[in-house]
């Protein structure tokens, strides 16, 4: 099958990147980011979409995994490939980010005796990659154990992971982001369910997702506006339900927005390196006396998206090893990561 970009997946990747960068620019608390109060409109916006960003990234990862799943006898090859694609760039980016923060006394600096935490515990945004590598190990085992029932594997994994998500199991286990792996796994599994249900996704499922989205988003908004300063919990029934219906509805909606899709082509690079630009701009922002928050948001999001894209384009022209170490890509095989084409357009819903 010919390899080409999947514009709907790239569109959602672009959307997830914008939300991720915007949250880090705004800050998760008044002492972070733009230093705005909990009831500021931008802070309320960040809270409203908190349960979409990482679930959407995870669900897209599960959906794309469905194109190239682990196969019997190929588990080690599959995992080596994931380590090369995710592990090398993670080690490079996390190390560079740690060094910059230590030298400049940044918010993510670690004492000399605790630098190991950047690699073994959740650190900045890099915890997502630790958790994702654990998920791929789980998927390699599940898919190779039951190769003749791929949809049943995905559905079963979603049910089991959703129950684990809502239970105390694994909570507080920070090693290799195990706790957060359990947070991401139901969304990854649901993305895989949607992939393996295609091309005939029932219209009833779409209607259920839309109805659930309207109800849950309304309830979440009421909570946010009632108590903007409340602590946000990741592993709750609201977080699970809203993440599943929000991300799932977007995935079955299949939006195609060219500017977002173009940004989405660089989503992994933006994910890895956006905080370098965001932190630099926040320092300049503070030095300038903190201009209006909306101006700061516009500048921060622009820098957080544009700088990693420029870095990506430059590194891809530097040769194979710089690209593999920093981006996990081989410029000889592709200038940008490609996905297998999705056969949805010609397939009716029922």
């Amino acid at each position: 099958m010919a390899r080409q970009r999947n514009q709907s997946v790239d569109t959602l990747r672009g959307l997830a990147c914008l939300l991720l960068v915007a949250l880090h620019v705004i800050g998760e608390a008044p002492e972070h980011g733009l230093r705005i109060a909990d009831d500021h409109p931008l802070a309320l916006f960040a809270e409203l979409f908190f349960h979409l960003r990482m679930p959407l990234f995870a669900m897209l990862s599960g959906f794309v995994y469905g194109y190239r799943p682990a196969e019997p006898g190929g588990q080690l090859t599959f995992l080596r490939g994931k380590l090369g694609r995710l592990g090398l760039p993670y080690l490079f980016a996390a190390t560079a980010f740690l060094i910059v923060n230590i030298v400049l006394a940044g918010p993510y600096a670690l004492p000399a005796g605790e630098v190991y935490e950047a690699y073994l515990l959740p650190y900045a945004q890099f915890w997502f990659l630790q958790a994702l590598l654990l998920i791929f190990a789980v998927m390699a085992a599940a898919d190779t154990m039951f190769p003749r029932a791929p949809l049943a594997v995905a559905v079963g994994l979603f049910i089991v992971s959703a129950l684990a998500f809502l239970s105390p199991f694994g909570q507080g286990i920070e090693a290799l982001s195990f706790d957060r792996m359990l947070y991401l796994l139901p969304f990854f599994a649901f993305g895989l369910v949607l992939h393996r249900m295609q091309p005939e996704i029932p219209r009833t499922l779409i209607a259920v997702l839309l109805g659930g989205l309207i109800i849950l988003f309304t309830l979440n908004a009421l909570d946010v506006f009632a108590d903007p300063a409340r602590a946000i919990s990741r592993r709750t029934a609201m977080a699970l339900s809203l993440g599943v219906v929000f991300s799932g509805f977007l995935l079955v909606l299949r939006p195609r927005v060219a500017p977002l899709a173009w940004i989405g082509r660089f989503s992994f690079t933006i994910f890895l390196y956006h905080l370098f630009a965001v932190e630099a701009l926040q320092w300049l922002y503070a030095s300038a006396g903190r201009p209006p928050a909306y101006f700061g948001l516009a500048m921060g999001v622009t820098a957080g998206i544009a700088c990693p894209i420029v870095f990506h384009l430059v590194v891809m022209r530097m040769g194979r090893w710089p690209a593999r170490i920093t981006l996990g890509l081989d410029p000889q095989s592709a200038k940008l990561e490609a996905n297998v084409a999705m056969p949805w357009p010609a397939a009716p819903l029922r």
Side-chain angles (χ1 to χ4, degrees):
M1 184 180 295
R3 288 173 55 143
Q4 61 184 17
R5 300 300 308 187
N6 181 327
Q7 193 176 36
S8 63
V9 168
D10 279 340
T11 294
L12 295 179
R13 282 172 168 164
L15 174 62
C17 285
L18 288 177
L19 292 173
L20 176 69
V21 175
L23 173 74
H24 284 152
V25 173
I26 294 169
E28 296 187 45
E31 62 271 19
H32 301 149
L34 296 175
R35 308 296 198 273
I36 55 179
D38 288 315
D39 58 355
H40 190 282
L42 291 181
L44 294 174
F45 167 82
E47 280 199 58
L48 283 172
F49 292 95
F50 184 88
H51 296 304
L52 174 62
R53 298 171 301 104
M54 304 317 290
L56 181 56
F57 272 121
M59 197 171 292
L60 289 170
S61 298
F63 188 89
V64 174
Y65 165 82
Y67 290 118
R68 302 185 187 95
E71 298 177 351
Q75 300 96 322
L76 291 180
T77 300
F78 171 82
L79 293 175
R80 280 198 300 267
K82 294 304 179 185
L83 284 173
R85 180 66 180 97
L86 303 178
L88 282 178
Y90 158 67
L91 291 175
F92 176 86
T95 300
F97 191 68
L98 176 61
I99 291 172
V100 168
N101 274 270
I102 290 175
V103 172
L104 300 180
Y108 292 94
L110 294 173
E114 299 176 10
V115 294
Y116 68 90
E117 292 184 6
Y119 311 103
L120 300 180
L121 299 176
Y123 179 63
Q125 77 275 24
F126 304 109
W127 64 264
F128 181 85
L129 301 181
Q130 292 180 342
L132 197 57
L133 287 170
L134 291 181
I135 289 174
F136 283 132
V138 170
M139 289 309 312
D143 270 340
T144 53
M145 287 175 62
F146 305 99
R148 297 183 180 180
L151 179 57
V153 167
V155 171
L157 183 63
F158 172 69
I159 294 172
V160 171
S161 62
L163 294 174
F165 182 104
L166 297 172
S167 75
F169 176 70
Q171 291 187 3
I173 301 179
E174 300 287 359
L176 297 178
S177 299
F178 182 81
D179 184 352
R180 303 194 185 196
M181 181 274 287
L182 295 175
Y183 164 67
L184 295 178
L185 189 54
F187 308 115
F188 183 99
F190 194 71
L192 185 58
V193 169
L194 293 178
H195 181 278
R196 291 178 174 175
M197 286 179 66
Q198 66 171 347
E200 295 185 356
I201 295 180
R203 290 189 182 276
T204 52
L205 175 60
I206 301 174
V208 168
L209 290 173
L210 177 58
L213 172 58
I214 294 171
I215 295 171
L216 291 170
F217 188 80
T218 300
L219 293 174
N220 183 58
L222 291 174
D223 285 342
V224 169
F225 289 116
D227 185 10
R230 80 196 197 289
I232 300 177
S233 299
R234 293 182 184 271
R235 288 175 61 178
T236 65
M238 174 60 78
L240 176 62
S241 303
L242 189 56
V244 167
V245 299
F246 211 149
S247 302
F249 178 72
L250 289 176
L251 197 52
V252 299
L253 187 63
R254 309 193 299 274
R256 290 174 173 80
V257 181
L260 284 179
W262 187 80
I263 292 173
R265 297 168 70 184
F266 303 93
S267 59
F268 185 53
T269 308
I270 292 170
F271 179 87
L272 281 174
Y273 297 105
H274 72 278
L275 267 185
F276 289 86
V278 168
E279 283 202 0
L281 198 65
Q282 285 178 345
W283 180 83
L284 294 174
Y285 181 78
S287 301
R290 298 200 173 279
Y294 292 98
F295 176 77
L297 175 64
M299 294 300 295
V301 171
T302 300
I305 296 294
C307 291
I309 291 176
V310 172
F311 176 76
H312 183 116
L313 296 174
V314 170
V315 168
M316 289 295 285
R317 288 166 173 75
M318 293 175 61
R320 180 180 181 185
W321 284 109
R324 287 189 62 83
I325 292 171
T326 61
L327 306 176
L329 294 175
D330 185 350
Q332 300 301 320
S333 60
K335 291 183 179 180
L336 293 170
E337 185 183 21
N339 297 325
V340 178
M342 183 193 302
W344 273 356
L349 300 176
R350 59 175 176 85

